[in-house]
Amino acid sequence: MSLTGLRQAIVDSIHSEITAFRVVQAHGGRFNRDELKRIAIKSPAALVSFLGGNLSREGSQAVGSIQIAVFVVTGGTSAEKRDEAALVLCEALSGLVCNNEWRYADAKAPESMRIDNLYSGDID
């Protein structure tokens, strides 16, 4: 399994299934305010990142679980509208992710999902 191939399959699925996102793209990982400014992203956006994994060896194969995150970035005139938009998009993502194998060989539906609120006054 190619990690970059899987990440791109996730990007492609989100892009085709959730049309409310203006931008869906792969991203290198977590970010802060300076990183958001650097990428000058249009919102709403979904940034898909590989964060890590637990792998073990089975014969000549590496098997295990990996952690992929989709960072949802919203904009708007008020914090309440940005927050509400983020929740609506996260709900749409959870519906898409739930049983998805991303049309990618060797991928399995997620064992678990988690939604975290990463709001920060500094980033806002």
Side-chain angles (χ1 to χ4, degrees), residues 48-123:
V48 182
S49 301
F50 169 75
L51 297 182
N54 295 309
L55 301 174
S56 61
R57 189 172 160 170
E58 239 178 58
S60 62
Q61 298 273 342
V63 297
S65 61
I66 59 172
Q67 184 179 26
I68 303 261
V70 179
F71 295 97
V72 174
V73 180
T74 60
T77 57
S78 71
E80 292 81 17
K81 288 183 181 179
R82 289 188 296 274
D83 176 62
E84 186 173 315
L87 288 173
V88 167
L89 290 167
C90 285
E91 186 175 359
L93 276 168
S94 68
L96 178 63
V97 170
C98 189
N99 294 308
N100 208 319
E101 296 176 6
W102 311 111
R103 291 172 254 150
Y104 190 79
D106 300 322
K108 296 178 182 172
E111 293 175 11
S112 64
M113 291 186 297
R114 192 169 109 192
I115 298 174
D116 292 320
N117 183 343
L118 300 179
Y119 173 83
S120 159
D122 184 48
I123 291 176

Side-chain angles (χ1 to χ4, degrees), residues 16-17 30 35 37 66 86 110 122-123:
S16 67
E17 297 293 327
R30 293 177 174 89
E35 175 68 3
K37 284 181 182 178
I66 59 172
D122 184 48
I123 291 176

